[in-house]
Amino acid sequence: MELYSKILLKCREHTHYPLLFLSVGGSRLFGYHTKHSDWDVYGVYVAPLEECIGLKEPVHTMEFSRTIGTEAVNYTLFDVKHFLKCLNKGSCNQLEQLFSPLTIYSGAKHRLLQDIIKEGFYSKNMAKKWFG
């Protein structure tokens, strides 16, 4: 678990936006990783008010990489508005990130978002993607 702490620390060094959650995806989530696999880390953050109301150009997605010891870590962070738009369009990737059992950081708002989705936030687009 020490690696998780370092992954979170490197993320917070890159962005000071408040995180809702940070989770592991890719081959490590599904158990297909090898000893040479990198780490794919996904998260959602709350953008500053200026970006939310349009006073400043929003950054919807942040992508960056870091090396922690011998481990290569690729980060992809989404602002919560963009994340929810993708989720509403039926993105299975966002569901995987939200409910990943390999969670590096989770706060009360992450759990609230999970509860909202569990209680019936399903769009027609989600149904089309899942059920054809």
Side-chain angles (χ1 to χ4, degrees):
M1 284 304 203
E2 186 178 321
L3 180 60
Y4 278 17
S5 297
K6 291 177 181 178
I7 289 173
L8 178 59
L9 180 65
K10 291 291 183 187
C11 183
R12 292 193 182 208
E13 287 174 0
H14 184 81
T15 180
H16 298 291
Y17 296 162
L19 288 172
L20 294 183
F21 70 88
L22 200 62
S23 61
V24 176
S27 64
R28 292 185 184 276
L29 174 60
F30 298 104
Y32 299 128
H33 61 282
T34 68
K35 64 180 183 174
H36 302 292
S37 294
D38 61 1
W39 288 77
D40 297 308
V41 176
Y42 299 94
V44 173
Y45 64 90
V46 179
L49 180 62
E50 295 83 13
E51 291 181 22
C52 293
I53 62 173
L55 295 176
K56 195 174 170 188
E57 186 67 30
V59 177
H60 297 299
T61 305
M62 286 186 245
E63 295 178 299
F64 56 98
S65 298
R66 297 290 181 267
T67 301
I68 302 172
T70 60
E71 303 290 344
V73 183
N74 300 316
Y75 295 85
T76 304
L77 306 177
F78 303 101
D79 78 75
V80 68
K81 181 179 176 181
H82 181 70
F83 181 82
L84 291 173
K85 280 183 179 181
C86 292
L87 194 59
N88 190 47
K89 289 179 182 177
S91 173
C92 299
N93 294 336
Q94 268 65 22
L95 284 174
E96 287 173 5
Q97 295 160 18
L98 183 62
F99 291 104
S100 173
L102 304 178
T103 302
I104 296 168
Y105 171 78
S106 176
K109 291 176 183 157
H110 176 225
R111 291 184 293 279
L112 177 63
L113 189 53
Q114 287 176 323
D115 290 343
I116 290 169
I117 301 302
K118 285 179 191 175
E119 291 297 318
F121 176 85
Y122 299 105
S123 69
K124 288 179 186 176
N125 292 325
M126 289 171 108
K128 284 179 189 175
K129 290 224 176 169
W130 282 89
F131 302 116

